[in-house]
Amino acid sequence: MTSADPPRLIGTDGLGALFTVLRERGYTVVGPTARDGAVVLAELASAEQLPSGWSAGTEAGRYRLRRREDGAVFAHCAGPVSAKTFVHPPRARLWSADRAPDGTVTTTGPEAPAKRFAFVGVHPCDVAALGVLDRVLAGGEHPDPIYTARRDGTFVVVAECTEPAATCFCTSMGTGPGATSGFDLALTELLDGEHRFLARSGSPAGAEVLAALPSRQAGEGDLAAASAAVRDAAAAITRHMPDEPLPALMAATRESPHWADVASRCLTCGNCTMVCPTCFCVTTEDVTDLTGGHAEHLRRWDSCFGLDFSYVHGGAVRTSTASRYRQWISHKLGTWQDQFGMSGCVGCGRCIAWCPAGIDITREAAALAASRGEPSGGAEP
Amino acid sequence: MTTLAVWKFASCDGCQLSLLDCEDELLAVAGRVRIAHFLEASRAVLPGPYDVSLVEGSITTPADAERIHAIRDASRVLITLGACATAGGIQALRNSADVAEYASAVYARPDYLDTLATSTPIAAHVDVDYELHGCPIDKGQLLETITALLAGRKPNLPAHSVCFDCKRRNNVCVVVARGEPCLGPVTRAGCGAICPAFGRGCFGCFGPAETPNGPAEADLLRAAGMSEDDIRRLYRTFTVSAFAEVAGDAS
């Protein structure tokens, strides 16, 4: 079976089989699961751990799990953990060095990942985010070996989005709610009548896995139901980015008085960048042990909302909150295009939901657009 | 061998206990430094000067205000430990009250006391090289600082918000997912986001982060159902004087 083959139908038992088949092929399955009041991505042992019957109600600065009667498995959105956590881990060792009693020093490189990940049930915005990380971390002259070692050989089972949250705006960013690329297997959850999934492969590896699952031929009605579910999802999305080229908007509003308004609400806590599935910035630090014979060079997620992020000789360049927020959104929506030829934002809405202060990237962009022509306010350093 | 001294001012001893609490690493520490003065661990006392002094507690008496200068003079590197030493501690609640009135309410013979009207951090009296925050301090930060000094490098002591660490360890945000009050967004990291990891909000024992936004945090706390009095009390616990500006902005 190839990607050109007709889609198949699998039942809810097919998800259990999918886990088994992936595990037999050596994958560590990472998927959504309900924990501590949210649907998070985590390593899962079985399909039983999928968030069956849970969806998320989100608003700016707010996320609540909601019980649902229909047993939907992939009705979650905008959870705090994205695939970034697994392929670009929050903490990684770049190298370590050991000094022997005779004084000779040996070094070892990055820790090799022990696992090969299969992402099951991630949404199209998250697959798009993996594409962004691929470009940023692996697509340049100097691919990041920690990223490529985790990303190469991953298997992606995308769940088309049929239940967007109030914070979603993938339609503005062209990343969803349907899945078009970047996956091995695409599932569309169908809840009309029998609970079932339309499954189509997006790669030879996906076709091979799909062939190993219990499935049956999809009928015209199933295909129509899947199309309708995705179409309805697109129609249900209420948040939008301004309908204009965002890099130009960012460039034109550098001195907007609106930055001071955002700064009055922004906590500089860094949550937006941490939950963003494409924010990739890191800092490095050295640690040593008490004997003095062992040293490690570590890499940690960093955030442009921290003061040290812009520290150069003599001090931090971006001391004001306004300048830090401006840096973040200008890179995300503007200069990312110049740097990588694509948008840094995939419209997943995580930064909106998980900002404790409820700062909304779509509303800030709209406010910036509206502020054009107002007297310049600017962001002090 | 590097000599280490531990000193106590007005405090509960919990922070210096963190050094003894380094059970797995304690022998390695003892192998690399000579513990010259640490009354909680040993009555043996070596004369100064000392390479590293760890100072716990705040300055609350005239005698202590003198003693800290002698310790500074005898120490090459001076590191303060915990909310008392870095911010005046819980006892800094007296700073906005009448200490004589407090003393008469608590002590049968307040005339036996020789106390200052304020509880102040060590850095208000002498130069401090490094500050380890928290009530109590984080054991990992203490070891990190000692190992950094032994290796001649800068210790990794971040000043950003607790939220950075919450997200790095995949804690689900208690503010966003549960509507709990939490001081994490305005509190200095270093504890590894331990309270949110156990499902409760941060109570700010590390004191303010580098650029806290008091009014925005107050909005969060109000949205979580706190009254102005609740908010004031939340800030006035472990690091009352350090949070004064943030809390003041809030009210």
Side-chain angles (χ1 to χ4, degrees), chain B residues 180-200:
Chain B
E180 300 265 339
C182 177
L183 289 180
V186 292
T187 298
R188 175 187 289 264
C191 61
I194 188 167
C195 289
F198 288 92
R200 58 157 293 172

Side-chain angles (χ1 to χ4, degrees), chain A residues 286-323:
Chain A
D286 295 292
V287 297
T288 44
D289 76 349
L290 280 160
T291 68
H294 179 78
E296 296 192 353
H297 193 59
L298 301 177
R299 186 176 87 177
R300 285 182 199 278
W301 283 357
D302 201 4
S303 169
C304 48
F305 284 88
L307 203 51
D308 280 350
F309 185 84
S310 67
Y311 185 90
V312 292
H313 164 75
V317 174
R318 287 186 283 272
T319 53
S320 76
T321 299
S323 67

Side-chain angles (χ1 to χ4, degrees), chain A residues 35-38 40 61-64 80-81 85 90 263-271 274-275 283-292 300-303 305-308 319 321 324 353-357, chain B residues 25-26 28-29 32 143-144 146-148 150-151 153-154 156-173 175-180 184-186 197 210-213 215-217 220:
Chain A
R35 166 177 71 77
D36 298 338
V40 299
R62 185 183 166 89
Y63 177 106
R64 290 292 185 281
V81 184
T85 297
S264 71
R265 291 171 278 134
C266 177
L267 292 151
T268 61
C269 63
N271 275 301
M274 297 288 170
V275 295
T283 186
T284 55
E285 63 187 32
D286 295 292
V287 297
T288 44
D289 76 349
L290 280 160
T291 68
R300 285 182 199 278
W301 283 357
D302 201 4
S303 169
F305 284 88
L307 203 51
D308 280 350
T319 53
T321 299
R324 281 181 257 170
W354 294 97
C355 171
Chain B
E25 301 87 1
L26 195 56
V29 173
R32 290 298 313 280
L143 283 169
E144 159 64 13
I146 293 173
T147 51
L150 288 172
R153 65 175 172 85
K154 185 176 155 226
N156 300 304
L157 301 171
H160 54 63
S161 76
V162 170
C163 302
F164 277 49
D165 286 348
C166 244
K167 288 293 181 291
R168 284 166 175 162
R169 67 182 285 179
N170 287 334
N171 288 345
V172 174
C173 178
V175 176
V176 170
R178 300 219 315 260
E180 300 265 339
V186 292
E210 54 199 8
T211 52
N213 185 339
E217 176 69 19
L220 281 192

Side-chain angles (χ1 to χ4, degrees), chain A:
Chain A
M1 185 164 170
T2 71
S3 53
D5 290 329
R8 305 284 296 173
L9 266 193
I10 63 174
T12 48
D13 60 329
L15 293 180
L18 175 62
F19 272 63
T20 306
V21 166
L22 290 173
R23 289 165 70 88
E24 282 170 0
R25 282 158 178 72
Y27 292 105
T28 297
V29 179
V30 169
T33 192
R35 166 177 71 77
D36 298 338
V39 172
V40 299
L41 280 188
E43 291 183 17
L44 303 182
S46 79
E48 309 275 296
Q49 293 170 275
L50 290 169
S52 173
W54 290 108
S55 62
T58 66
E59 253 315 324
R62 185 183 166 89
Y63 177 106
R64 290 292 185 281
L65 273 187
R66 271 203 301 245
R67 203 74 188 134
R68 35 193 303 145
E69 297 302 315
D70 57 15
V73 177
F74 298 127
H76 59 91
C77 270
V81 184
S82 72
K84 176 177 85 171
T85 297
F86 298 89
V87 290
H88 181 57
R91 185 176 187 271
R93 194 187 72 205
L94 297 178
W95 51 259
S96 64
D98 286 282
R99 183 166 51 206
D102 67 2
T104 56
V105 173
T106 53
T107 57
T108 50
E111 51 198 334
K115 295 161 180 167
R116 203 155 53 101
F117 295 118
F119 294 104
V120 172
V122 290
H123 287 314
C125 54
D126 287 326
V127 174
L130 280 171
V132 174
L133 290 180
D134 287 346
R135 169 65 191 88
V136 172
L137 298 176
E141 274 181 58
H142 305 285
D144 167 19
I146 292 177
Y147 180 78
T148 55
R150 282 160 182 75
R151 175 68 168 119
D152 290 349
T154 54
F155 190 93
V156 175
V157 182
V158 64
E160 290 198 295
C161 187
T162 52
E163 287 278 341
T167 43
C168 293
F169 57 101
C170 64
T171 43
S172 291
M173 308 317 292
T175 60
T180 52
S181 64
F183 58 84
D184 296 291
L185 205 56
L187 302 178
T188 315
E189 185 164 29
L190 300 174
L191 295 158
D192 58 318
E194 182 207 353
H195 190 179
R196 64 204 190 283
F197 302 87
L198 188 75
R200 58 196 164 92
S201 60
S203 71
E208 193 263 327
V209 166
L210 182 52
L213 301 179
S215 70
R216 61 184 196 269
Q217 198 179 336
E220 286 299 321
D222 302 312
L223 296 175
S227 299
V230 173
R231 201 171 52 238
D232 290 350
I237 287 171
T238 53
R239 269 184 165 76
H240 301 284
M241 274 292 178
D243 189 17
E244 59 177 295
L246 297 174
L249 171 61
M250 289 299 129
T253 53
R254 281 193 64 75
E255 305 301 327
S256 168
H258 187 65
W259 300 117
D261 178 79
V262 187
S264 71
R265 291 171 278 134
C266 177
L267 292 151
T268 61
C269 63
N271 275 301
C272 49
T273 65
M274 297 288 170
V275 295
C276 176
T278 69
C279 271
F280 58 87
C281 285
V282 292
T283 186
T284 55
E285 63 187 32
D286 295 292
V287 297
T288 44
D289 76 349
L290 280 160
T291 68
H294 179 78
E296 296 192 353
H297 193 59
L298 301 177
R299 186 176 87 177
R300 285 182 199 278
W301 283 357
D302 201 4
S303 169
C304 48
F305 284 88
L307 203 51
D308 280 350
F309 185 84
S310 67
Y311 185 90
V312 292
H313 164 75
V317 174
R318 287 186 283 272
T319 53
S320 76
T321 299
S323 67
R324 281 181 257 170
Y325 187 84
R326 184 177 70 181
Q327 162 64 25
W328 177 66
I329 193 174
S330 300
H331 188 214
K332 189 66 49 183
L333 302 180
T335 50
W336 203 295
Q337 285 278 7
D338 305 330
Q339 206 177 355
F340 304 114
M342 65 205 311
S343 168
C345 175
V346 296
C348 71
R350 284 184 174 90
C351 60
I352 303 172
W354 294 97
C355 171
I359 294 171
D360 178 342
I361 190 171
T362 64
R363 289 185 60 176
E364 305 314 332
L368 286 168
S371 76
R372 267 178 305 208
E374 286 180 29
S376 135
E380 74 265 36

